[in-house]
Amino acid sequence: MAGIRIVPTGESQGFLAALSIEDLPVSVEMRRKLRLFGLRTLADLAQLPQGAVGAQFGAEGARAWELAHGVDCSPIVPYVAPKSITERLAFTAAVDSVDALLAAVRTLLSRALHRPAIQGRAARAIQLHVQLEDGHVWMREVTFREPVGSSQRMLLALKHKIESAELPAQFTEVELVILGICGESVLQGNLFTSERGRQLQRVAEAARQLKARYGRTLLAKVIEVEPWSRIPERRFALIDYDP
């Protein structure tokens, strides 16, 4: 297979001999000292006594000496999926249309959600960076109360941010960052919930999203206070809707 070479057992030291000490996973200070001692390759390091290298550089030196001999006892670290995904789109000429920005966001969101790292998963937040023609960056961020895996919900949240603000200048590039990639949150519905019950659940979820976005309760609900009163203002009152 191209790009891969299998080194037989017992030949690892010879394979590594010509590599530079710069390839060692050691500190910058240790590499500097190795160069001062006139050591340039792993073969130079391997020729030294293990005890002398350990005495000079401690545990880091002992590990480097073992690596120069092709010995690596460290555990295998499994692949960790990235916590964020970034997509960019550059325009050939500066534009200032909100519709163009929304179209770019749709394209970037589609690209990002087709990446293997987010397949079957969800995100906790989205950042939008718009490179303006004057050199400044216009940025907006959406943080979800619960992990979101739906492109429609992500796009809707970003659309509100974009339409509620005016860009100060034309822009040339758009960057979309999906943050906090994790397992998707699943809400188990009730089989016997009525249509009104489902509507109330949707209202409650919308209220939680608004509170998470703005940091305070924005919705209110009407309650009866003195239904027998002849004064309409005393019959009902408004209180914060906090599900």
Side-chain angles (χ1 to χ4, degrees):
M1 183 180 295
I4 297 178
R5 177 178 174 181
I6 299 176
V7 181
T9 303
E11 298 182 14
S12 56
Q13 184 176 346
F15 173 75
L16 298 170
L19 295 181
S20 170
I21 59 169
E22 302 297 332
D23 295 321
L24 285 171
V26 297
S27 64
V28 174
E29 179 61 17
M30 180 174 174
R31 288 198 292 269
R32 185 185 72 83
K33 290 182 177 180
L34 289 173
R35 291 193 297 269
L36 290 177
F37 287 134
L39 305 175
R40 296 290 183 266
T41 65
L42 296 193
D44 296 335
L45 180 60
Q47 290 174 3
L48 299 177
Q50 182 180 17
V53 176
Q56 178 67 38
F57 298 103
E60 188 179 36
R63 171 164 164 73
W65 187 90
E66 290 179 349
L67 292 175
H69 283 79
V71 178
D72 186 2
C73 299
S74 58
I76 297 176
V77 179
Y79 169 75
V80 178
K83 295 297 183 181
S84 66
I85 291 176
T86 302
E87 289 286 349
R88 296 181 181 87
L89 180 64
F91 294 90
T92 55
V95 295
D96 59 0
S97 167
V98 173
D99 292 337
L101 181 56
L102 287 173
V105 168
R106 290 190 187 93
T107 300
L108 294 175
L109 197 56
S110 176
R111 288 184 193 171
L113 295 181
H114 277 85
R115 298 267 286 272
I118 200 174
Q119 292 297 309
R121 309 182 75 192
R124 297 188 181 276
I126 299 178
Q127 282 185 352
L128 182 64
H129 303 262
V130 180
Q131 182 66 50
L132 302 179
E133 192 178 25
D134 60 7
H136 292 85
V137 176
W138 184 85
M139 192 271 284
R140 289 295 183 270
E141 180 172 346
V142 176
T143 301
F144 303 111
R145 182 179 179 276
E146 297 174 348
V148 172
S150 166
S151 61
Q152 289 83 1
R153 291 182 62 186
M154 292 182 185
L155 181 61
L156 181 62
L158 286 173
K159 185 177 180 180
H160 289 319
K161 290 285 186 179
I162 294 171
E163 291 180 341
S164 63
E166 293 184 3
L167 293 175
Q170 292 184 323
F171 56 93
T172 57
E173 184 176 330
V174 181
E175 177 182 271
L176 181 75
V177 184
I178 297 181
L179 300 167
I181 299 175
C182 59
E184 185 165 8
S185 174
V186 178
L187 299 177
Q188 176 64 50
N190 189 330
L191 180 63
F192 302 102
T193 301
S194 64
E195 178 59 31
R196 175 165 176 77
R198 285 190 287 270
Q199 291 177 349
L200 292 175
Q201 288 178 354
R202 289 193 291 269
V203 171
E205 175 61 22
R208 286 192 290 267
Q209 292 283 346
L210 288 172
K211 186 175 181 180
R213 180 181 301 172
Y214 297 103
R216 59 188 178 89
T217 301
L218 297 179
L219 300 183
K221 63 180 178 181
V222 180
I223 62 170
E224 282 189 335
V225 180
E226 298 179 4
W228 56 84
S229 176
R230 295 182 178 181
I231 303 175
E233 290 80 2
R234 299 184 61 179
R235 296 177 190 171
F236 305 97
L238 287 174
I239 64 171
D240 288 344
Y241 184 81
D242 197 4

